[in-house]
Amino acid sequence: MSQLVRYGMVGGDEGAFIGKVHRRAIGFDERIQLVAGCFSASSQEKNKKTGQVLRLDPARVYDTYQDMAREEGKREDGIDFVSIVTPNVTHFDIAKTFLENGIHVMCEKPLTFTVEQAEELAHLAQQKNLLFGVNYSYTGYVLAKVMREMVAEGKIGKVISVNAEYPQEWLLDDLHPVEGQELSLSVWRKNPEIAGISNCVGDIGSHIENFVHYITGLKIKRLLATVNRFGQPLDLNANILVEYDNGANGAYWCSQVAAGTLNALAVRIYGDEGSLEWQQENPDYVRYTPRGEAPRTLTRGNGYLKEKAAAFSQLPTGHPEGLHVAFGNLYQQFASAVIAHREGQPTDGFDFPRVQDGVNGVKFIHAVINSAKNDSAWVHIN
Ligand SMILES: NC(=O)c1ccc[n+]([C@@H]2O[C@H](COP(=O)([O-])OP(=O)(O)OC[C@H]3O[C@@H](n4cnc5c(N)ncnc54)[C@H](O)[C@@H]3O)[C@@H](O)[C@H]2O)c1
């Protein structure tokens, strides 16, 4: 049976941010080929131009995602999956449309505006027996997989505390509004109509939630939070205290107004037998401290790391891999699942974030905002 996996993209025109990152990352896997797209809804010029640059058949560059889903769903050689890289407000309708046309989905996070929408997508994917991945990209790093394996093997014992953060500084100017000038919502992440009920927590806090869950397997039972809007419609900073199902606590902080920070996702996982510490900006290394011993720094690709996680390495140790490879690892697993699905084989074992992770993410975002609105009351997540 063919090993070729055809995909189409919705969003990601030439001027967009994350679509290009997806395309480059997918390019690491020679089995996956871009054959269709609807790269922009607001500008057909940009849409067609992007199709030309990507050397697509013009007949498969569609004016709307609805046309694309319908036509690709009918073709013998239609796309196996769609990659959705549009702003948050559109995810639900686009994902639903492709599922209804029998096409697997890989969607950007946060999955949807509401928990009900996210659950509807999960239900539909299950009903149609289709794969649904959510692009929690940081779980694609080799060292994320190594940490996950180490926790599962008991290297740090029982997890008793987690401390994680994701600070950025790029919206710091919003703290200095110019007198007489209206608030700028030109950045869609700040606009509730496009971003949803949250900016900072939805954009980067949700990465913390998923990343910690991926590594530890812990589920958040309840949380309390404060968010700071600094006069803006949506949050720019949040502090969150969580309680996991094993009784341990975690403290999360995310910010877009932390001067001197870029994409400084960092996690510290403390167990009763040791700890792990990892930073996104130095992703090939993890600091491991077994109880009673000196800390040590592990890197990917060396014999002392387990085969399973280390097998995701694409370059010899010492050559930095980075975010593109992390995205690529998710797609490599997703494409393998698509092929397995086509061959009637099980798909559960492939390592990419699922629609349920997307549902959990939306629940997390809503719980944080609800808690903050209610004087930081505890909010249960079921
Ligand atoms: N996983 C990550 O690390 C990560 C990083 C960045 C962004 N994101 C997510 O990716 C998504 C896109 O973010 P971005 O920064 O690339 O946004 P962007 O504004 O740069 O790009 C959005 C693209 O979607 C297109 N678009 C919008 N509506 C469309 C429609 N109906 N049909 C076809 N195309 C449409 C726009 O023309 C544009 O090309 C967001 O949900 C964001 O949260 C995730």
Side-chain angles (χ1 to χ4, degrees):
M1 216 176 260
S2 168
Q3 292 289 297
L4 179 67
V5 176
R6 300 182 185 88
Y7 85 103
M9 180 167 273
V10 180
D13 67 40
E14 278 295 276
F17 168 36
I18 211 66
K20 243 185 204 177
V21 178
H22 283 252
R23 291 196 294 268
R24 291 191 205 109
I26 290 169
F28 286 124
D29 189 332
E30 283 94 357
R31 299 171 302 173
I32 318 176
Q33 192 187 356
L34 179 69
V35 296
C38 171
F39 304 100
S40 172
S42 56
S43 161
Q44 282 311 315
E45 194 189 330
K46 275 192 191 172
N47 184 25
K48 306 282 179 229
K49 175 85 196 314
T50 306
Q52 275 168 17
V53 170
L54 297 169
R55 294 190 285 277
L56 294 188
D57 174 354
R60 295 179 84 173
V61 178
Y62 299 92
D63 290 356
T64 69
Y65 70 82
Q66 291 95 335
D67 291 348
M68 177 172 156
R70 191 183 55 247
E71 294 307 316
E72 290 294 323
K74 283 196 287 206
R75 287 178 76 113
E76 275 280 292
D77 64 348
I79 56 173
D80 296 294
F81 77 90
V82 63
S83 171
I84 301 172
V85 290
T86 52
N88 311 352
V89 64
T90 60
H91 294 172
F92 173 69
D93 286 336
I94 299 175
K96 190 173 173 204
T97 304
F98 279 88
L99 291 174
E100 282 169 343
N101 283 276
I103 294 166
H104 303 299
V105 171
M106 174 66 106
C107 186
E108 263 301 352
K109 43 53 59 183
L111 182 55
T112 53
F113 265 29
T114 69
V115 174
E116 292 73 25
Q117 289 173 335
E119 285 174 337
E120 188 178 330
L121 290 180
H123 178 70
L124 190 57
Q126 191 189 30
Q127 194 188 43
K128 297 255 176 196
N129 185 24
L130 290 167
L131 297 164
F132 199 125
V134 180
N135 189 53
Y136 285 109
S137 37
Y138 302 113
T139 63
Y141 278 115
V142 175
L143 266 294
K145 298 177 187 310
V146 167
M147 286 192 283
R148 182 189 205 210
E149 245 176 60
M150 291 177 76
V151 172
E153 287 171 353
K155 290 276 179 357
I156 62 167
K158 179 186 172 213
V159 175
I160 53 170
S161 178
V162 175
N163 185 283
E165 65 203 29
Y166 195 154
Q168 302 176 331
E169 67 171 359
W170 68 290
L171 290 177
L172 195 52
D173 285 348
D174 285 6
L175 270 49
H176 304 276
V178 179
E179 210 175 318
Q181 204 170 300
E182 289 205 0
L183 288 177
S184 162
L185 291 180
S186 58
V187 174
W188 67 253
R189 284 170 173 75
K190 301 195 294 179
N191 185 341
E193 287 176 14
I194 308 178
I197 61 161
S198 167
N199 168 18
C200 183
V201 176
D203 204 32
I204 53 179
S206 59
H207 276 300
I208 301 177
E209 177 271 325
N210 179 261
F211 197 72
V212 172
H213 170 68
Y214 179 75
I215 294 166
T216 64
L218 294 175
K219 290 200 180 104
I220 298 174
K221 199 167 84 183
R222 59 179 190 153
L223 62 78
L224 67 83
T226 61
V227 304
N228 307 99
R229 292 191 284 121
F230 303 110
Q232 298 287 322
L234 297 175
D235 50 301
L236 297 169
N237 187 79
N239 285 285
I240 304 156
L241 189 64
V242 307
E243 183 183 313
Y244 304 105
D245 52 359
N246 76 343
N249 287 121
Y252 300 169
W253 167 54
C254 58
S255 184
Q256 295 159 320
V257 292
T261 64
L262 298 171
N263 277 288
L265 171 64
V267 292
R268 299 167 204 91
I269 318 269
Y270 298 96
D272 59 2
E273 290 293 341
S275 70
L276 292 166
E277 180 173 350
W278 177 87
Q279 295 172 351
Q280 198 277 144
E281 292 179 358
N282 192 18
D284 283 346
Y285 298 90
V286 63
R287 188 171 188 263
Y288 167 47
T289 309
R291 181 167 69 93
E293 294 182 33
R296 57 202 64 175
T297 302
L298 310 180
T299 187
R300 63 177 175 78
N302 274 335
Y304 52 75
L305 291 184
K306 286 286 175 196
E307 261 173 37
K308 206 171 112 214
F312 280 89
S313 276
Q314 301 207 18
L315 286 170
T317 324
H319 292 296
E321 285 192 337
L323 190 64
H324 284 106
V325 171
F327 274 61
N329 286 337
L330 298 192
Y331 275 106
Q332 186 265 337
Q333 286 293 289
F334 191 76
S336 296
V338 168
I339 292 168
H341 184 277
R342 187 189 287 162
E343 293 174 350
Q345 301 294 324
T347 57
D348 287 350
F350 295 100
D351 181 4
F352 62 89
R354 309 280 171 149
V355 68
Q356 190 54 47
D357 294 292
V359 174
N360 294 344
V362 180
K363 284 184 178 173
F364 172 78
I365 296 163
H366 279 261
V368 170
I369 301 303
N370 286 339
S371 172
K373 270 193 192 151
N374 287 295
D375 202 21
S376 306
W378 282 104
V379 172
H380 283 260
I381 301 184
N382 50 35

